[in-house]
Amino acid sequence: MSAKLLEVRGLTRTFTSRNGLFGRKRVMTAVADVSLDVPRGQVTGVVGESGCGKSTLARLVLRLLEADQGQVLFEGVDLASLSASAMRRLRRRLQFVFQDPYSSIDPRYTIRAALLEPSQVQGEHLHAAAATDRINSLMAMVGLNPSLAQSYPHQLSGGQKQRIGIARALALQPSFLVLDEPTASLDVSIQAQIIALLEKLQQELGLTYLFISHDLGLVRYFCDRIVVMYLGRIVEVLPSADTPPRHPYTIALMESTFEPDPAKRRVITRLNGELPDAFNPPPGCAYAARCAHASDRCRSERPALVLRDGHELACHHPPT
Ligand SMILES: Nc1ncnc2c1ncn2[C@@H]1O[C@H](COP(=O)(O)OP(=O)(O)OP(=O)(O)O)[C@@H](O)[C@H]1O
Ligand code: SF4
Ligand SMILES: [Mg+2]
C-alpha cells in the first residue's frame, strides 16, 4: 500500500471577472501550479491568509471544482479519468467538512434526515431500525445525545451543528476528509473541543485529513506536515510540525500562535503590508513587497519551490 493516499500535481485554477457589463475581462490565478502529497493516516495542514487559495484548492482536490490544469490522484488513480458513476462511488471515501456547518445541513431537515441523506444519495435505503442504529452510532461517534436527532439545525448550538457536519461527513465511512476551517466560526473553547474530537476520530478510524486554516498555531498543534500558501502558490512545506520554518512569510506567520485568548492572538491579516493584487501579481516573488530580505533578484525572478532534506522552500535568500 502506497504511503501517499492522495497526490496533487500541478493544479491550476483561474477565475475571470469583468469591470461592469462591457468592461475589460481580468484574469486571476487562485491556485497556481500546486503539487503536494497527502500521506495516508496523517494530518496535512494548509495554511495562509485570507484569499491565498486554500478553499479553491480544497474544492479542486475533491473535484467540486474543475481544474484548468493538473491532476489529483487518489490511491494512484487520476480522478479526472473516472466515469461519473465511478466518481460517485469514490465520493464515499472523500468527504468535506465546511467552515460553516449551515452550508452542509439543510435547515428544513431534521438532523436524522440530514444524517441519512448521504447514504440515500448513494442509492442506499435503510429500514427504519437500521437507520436508527446508524444515526445512534454516528451521534455517539461525535459525542452528541441521540435524542437530538429529532431536532432541526436552528435548535442546535454552533458546536453541535459542527459535530453534525462531521457526523454527516463520516456517514459513508470515508478514508479521507478535507476540513476547510472547521472551527473558524466557533468560540475558542468550542474550537478546542472540536479539534479534540477530530483528533480522536482520526486516530480511532485511521482517517487521513487535509486540514485548512489561516491559523498557523492551530495547524502546528494539529498537523503532521504543513503546507504554506501565499497568493495561490506553495512557498514552503514543513515536513513536521516542529521543523523550524525558513521562508520569511512562514516566520512572520509564526507570531500568530494557538493563543486561547483571541484578543491576544496576532491575526495573519495584520502582518505588515498588504497582499499584492491577484489580478496583477508582481513578476518576481509575490512576498517581496513585504519582505525585509527582498533583493532586486526577488523583485524580478520568482523563486522555484525546491526540495531539500524533505523540506520544500521557495525563497532566494532564506534568512537562516
Ligand atoms: N467562484 C469564484 N469566482 C471568482 N473568484 C473566486 C471564486 N472563488 C474564489 N475566488 C477568488 O480566488 C481567490 C482565492 O479564494 P479562496 O476562497 O480559495 O481563498 P481562501 O484562502 O480560502 O480565503 P479565506 O481564508 O478567506 O477562506 C480569492 O481572491 C477569491 O476572491
Ligand atoms: S524570495 Fe526574496 S522576497 Fe521572496 S521571501 Fe525570499 S527573500 Fe523574501
Ligand atoms: Mg477559504
Side-chain angles (χ1 to χ4, degrees):
M1 217 166 35
S2 158
K4 293 177 214 163
L5 184 65
L6 187 108
E7 288 169 69
V8 168
R9 295 284 161 260
L11 270 193
T12 299
R13 171 69 200 213
T14 55
F15 291 113
T16 42
S17 84
R18 215 180 264 282
N19 286 333
L21 196 54
F22 302 106
R24 198 166 51 88
K25 211 160 93 174
R26 305 189 318 151
V27 181
M28 62 90 73
T29 307
V31 168
D33 195 18
V34 164
S35 298
L36 60 93
D37 295 337
V38 180
R40 193 183 294 273
Q42 290 195 12
V43 183
T44 299
V46 177
V47 70
E49 64 203 291
S50 184
C52 74
K54 305 181 295 296
S55 297
T56 305
L57 175 64
R59 292 166 65 214
L60 292 170
V61 163
L62 292 183
R63 271 193 84 194
L64 301 174
L65 183 71
E66 292 300 326
D68 297 336
Q69 282 170 39
Q71 293 171 301
V72 179
L73 310 178
F74 185 76
E75 294 187 324
V77 176
D78 184 348
L79 296 189
S81 72
L82 296 176
S83 65
S85 63
M87 188 64 215
R88 195 174 63 243
R89 282 194 300 279
L90 190 63
R91 282 243 173 267
R92 300 180 71 102
R93 303 193 50 205
L94 316 172
Q95 294 289 321
F96 204 131
V97 177
F98 298 90
Q99 169 175 346
D100 174 10
Y102 264 118
S103 57
S104 56
I105 318 177
D106 190 319
R108 297 164 303 171
Y109 286 3
T110 60
I111 299 307
R112 179 187 169 92
L115 292 180
L116 288 175
E117 198 206 359
S119 50
Q120 284 163 354
V121 169
Q122 288 281 331
E124 194 183 329
H125 294 282
L126 298 172
H127 293 297
T132 301
D133 284 350
R134 168 84 59 90
I135 302 294
N136 289 349
S137 80
L138 282 171
M139 298 287 275
M141 228 184 250
V142 297
L144 289 176
N145 189 323
S147 65
L148 286 175
Q150 303 312 324
S151 314
Y152 287 87
H154 73 269
Q155 296 171 301
L156 304 187
S157 69
Q160 287 173 328
K161 274 197 289 258
Q162 194 52 295
R163 284 174 194 264
I164 295 297
I166 295 167
R168 233 176 96 92
L170 294 176
L172 298 172
Q173 300 176 304
S175 41
F176 175 63
L177 288 190
V178 174
L179 302 149
D180 189 0
E181 309 243 20
T183 62
S185 63
L186 303 173
D187 291 347
V188 175
S189 62
I190 309 293
Q191 182 178 40
Q193 290 171 14
I194 297 289
I195 293 295
L197 171 67
L198 290 169
E199 263 180 316
K200 177 178 94 88
L201 292 169
Q202 195 250 335
Q203 282 158 19
E204 286 179 1
L205 305 174
L207 297 169
T208 302
Y209 289 165
L210 187 67
F211 180 82
I212 291 172
S213 177
H214 63 275
D215 185 336
L216 181 63
L218 177 56
V219 167
R220 288 186 92 206
Y221 168 78
F222 187 48
C223 300
D224 300 304
R225 307 168 63 241
I226 301 172
V227 175
V228 184
M229 286 183 73
Y230 192 78
L231 209 72
R233 289 180 190 274
I234 296 179
V235 295
E236 185 162 29
V237 180
L238 302 174
S240 72
D242 48 19
T243 305
R246 299 190 66 213
H247 196 284
Y249 177 61
T250 318
I251 293 170
L253 286 188
M254 276 298 199
E255 294 184 20
S256 113
T257 56
F258 189 32
E259 164 63 61
D261 180 353
K264 291 190 192 151
R265 201 182 299 171
R266 229 186 94 151
V267 178
I268 292 176
T269 46
R270 281 198 233 124
L271 290 178
N272 290 335
E274 296 293 322
L275 272 170
D277 177 5
F279 287 96
N280 188 20
C285 173
Y287 191 59
R290 297 163 103 180
C291 181
H293 309 275
S295 65
D296 287 345
R297 182 182 177 204
C298 300
R299 283 181 275 272
S300 59
E301 182 191 328
R302 192 174 57 233
L305 189 64
V306 176
L307 174 68
R308 193 180 298 156
D309 301 330
H311 188 152
E312 290 176 72
L313 181 67
C315 179
H316 292 310
H317 318 292
T320 50

